[in-house]
Amino acid sequence: MSLKTENTIQSKRSRTDGAAAGVFGRCGTGKVIADSVLDWIYPRRCPVCDGILGKKEPYICRNCARKLKPVEEPRCRKCSKSIHSWTEEYCTECGKGRHFYDWGFAVYPYHGPIQGSLMRFKYSGRQEYAGFYARAIAVYGDRMIRRTKAEVLVPVPIHRKKLRTRGYNQAEVLARCLAKETGLPVDSSLVLRKKNTLPQKELDPEERRKNLREAFCLRHPEKKIPYRRILLVDDIYTTGSTVDALAALFRQAGVEAIFFVTVAIGNN
């Protein structure tokens, strides 16, 4: 990835500065002062290496901008994982059978510096990283998102116990930042995670499918879902078991087309 491309991703800064904004205001000189105070107390950090950003590094440090690379082409036509040859259409997993979703897109391969970044985002309270992820999805996935003609962004839900422990649903935080980039609304009221499943990273593909069986349910099954085309949002895609479980639920409820976007995707 070129530095110029990453600088495009840097062009939008997401800040959790509500308290200071209440004192200094949200625009003009007041906002400049608020940001300066926040930067002094809580220095802005690179979402990839977590190092302190310089004044001329608005979104990601230059070192990480040079190193961070998106999933290479050719990609699987279903899940967008990198595949070995242009003569192939699907990755190993997608070639084995039918997914319930139509297709999806991920920006980065899930290894190296982006892996540590997403772990901090998910488990260490670094919600501010979502602005960078959303911008990356919007830049690299712009054409794909427009092709979906999606009507709404639906974040993958987490169980209420995990929500209490973590304090937030990282997929919903990401979806709300992506909404600002795309103009699409977010609806997190459609589905519930009724089963507190084991962490997917600890399981093999078959165990993941069993783990997610009946994990989700519609919040209001008596009501018709008011969307025909849905774009699911999550942080990481591995085998697609989570996305598939939700897609199957939405298919049964009459949704015509289901797509997904994630920040990163695992290897075959």
Side-chain angles (χ1 to χ4, degrees):
M1 181 195 317
S2 69
L3 183 59
K4 181 179 179 181
T5 302
E6 267 311 319
N7 283 340
T8 303
I9 295 176
Q10 294 174 0
S11 64
K12 183 171 179 180
R13 176 180 166 189
S14 175
R15 299 290 292 166
T16 54
D17 57 359
V23 176
F24 295 105
R26 289 190 173 273
C27 58
T29 304
K31 188 176 188 308
V32 172
I33 295 172
D35 279 353
S36 297
V37 171
L38 279 168
D39 289 346
W40 180 67
I41 301 173
Y42 304 108
R44 296 178 307 111
R45 291 183 175 273
C46 172
V48 179
C49 70
D50 206 39
I52 295 175
L53 293 171
K55 289 183 179 180
K56 294 184 178 180
E57 295 174 329
Y59 215 64
I60 182 174
C61 75
R62 291 185 177 275
N63 188 42
C64 288
R66 294 186 184 97
K67 293 190 299 185
L68 198 60
K69 298 182 183 297
V71 175
E72 294 182 353
E73 298 286 354
R75 291 175 178 241
C76 172
R77 293 178 61 185
K78 194 76 173 177
C79 72
S80 92
K81 285 182 183 178
S82 182
I83 53 179
H84 302 297
S85 171
W86 287 100
T87 60
E88 299 174 2
E89 291 189 3
Y90 304 107
C91 68
T92 303
E93 284 296 324
C94 292
K96 287 179 181 177
R98 174 176 164 268
H99 285 297
F100 289 100
Y101 63 81
D102 289 87
W103 42 269
F105 180 83
V107 181
Y108 299 112
Y110 185 55
H111 61 71
I114 201 68
Q115 186 171 2
S117 174
L118 284 165
M119 288 299 97
R120 292 193 302 275
F121 172 57
K122 193 168 186 174
Y123 299 114
S124 299
R126 306 309 295 271
Q127 296 182 57
E128 69 271 21
Y129 288 4
F132 168 74
Y133 301 146
R135 185 60 180 161
I137 291 171
V139 169
Y140 291 109
D142 174 66
R143 189 167 142 234
M144 169 267 168
I145 292 172
R146 285 188 283 109
R147 267 182 58 208
T148 67
K149 298 181 180 178
E151 300 163 272
V152 66
L153 303 174
V154 176
V156 172
I158 61 173
H159 192 268
R160 62 183 181 277
K161 288 184 179 179
K162 288 182 180 176
L163 185 60
R164 281 198 299 267
T165 301
R166 196 175 299 166
Y168 60 96
N169 174 5
Q170 77 281 352
E172 184 168 355
V173 173
L174 175 59
R176 298 204 176 279
C177 287
L178 189 57
K180 296 176 183 177
E181 297 287 346
T182 62
L184 292 170
V186 177
D187 194 336
S188 56
S189 68
L190 297 177
V191 287
L192 291 171
R193 195 161 195 151
K194 63 179 181 178
K195 182 178 173 184
N196 192 16
T197 53
L198 295 169
Q200 290 287 85
K201 63 183 179 180
E202 299 175 4
L203 309 173
D204 63 33
E206 182 56 34
E207 288 172 332
R208 287 174 179 175
R209 283 187 283 272
K210 289 180 180 178
N211 189 41
L212 288 164
R213 197 168 293 155
E214 299 181 356
F216 303 103
C217 67
L218 295 176
R219 188 184 293 267
H220 301 291
E222 74 283 359
K223 294 182 180 180
K224 182 179 179 181
I225 292 179
Y227 312 109
R228 294 180 300 108
R229 305 177 74 84
I230 284 174
L231 183 58
L232 298 172
V233 180
D234 205 2
D235 54 340
I236 305 163
Y237 178 110
T238 48
T239 62
S241 300
T242 301
V243 172
D244 258 338
L246 278 169
L249 185 65
F250 282 127
R251 291 278 185 212
Q252 292 171 1
V255 177
E256 293 177 14
I258 302 111
F259 310 92
F260 77 83
V261 287
T262 62
V263 179
I265 193 163
N267 296 321
N268 284 319

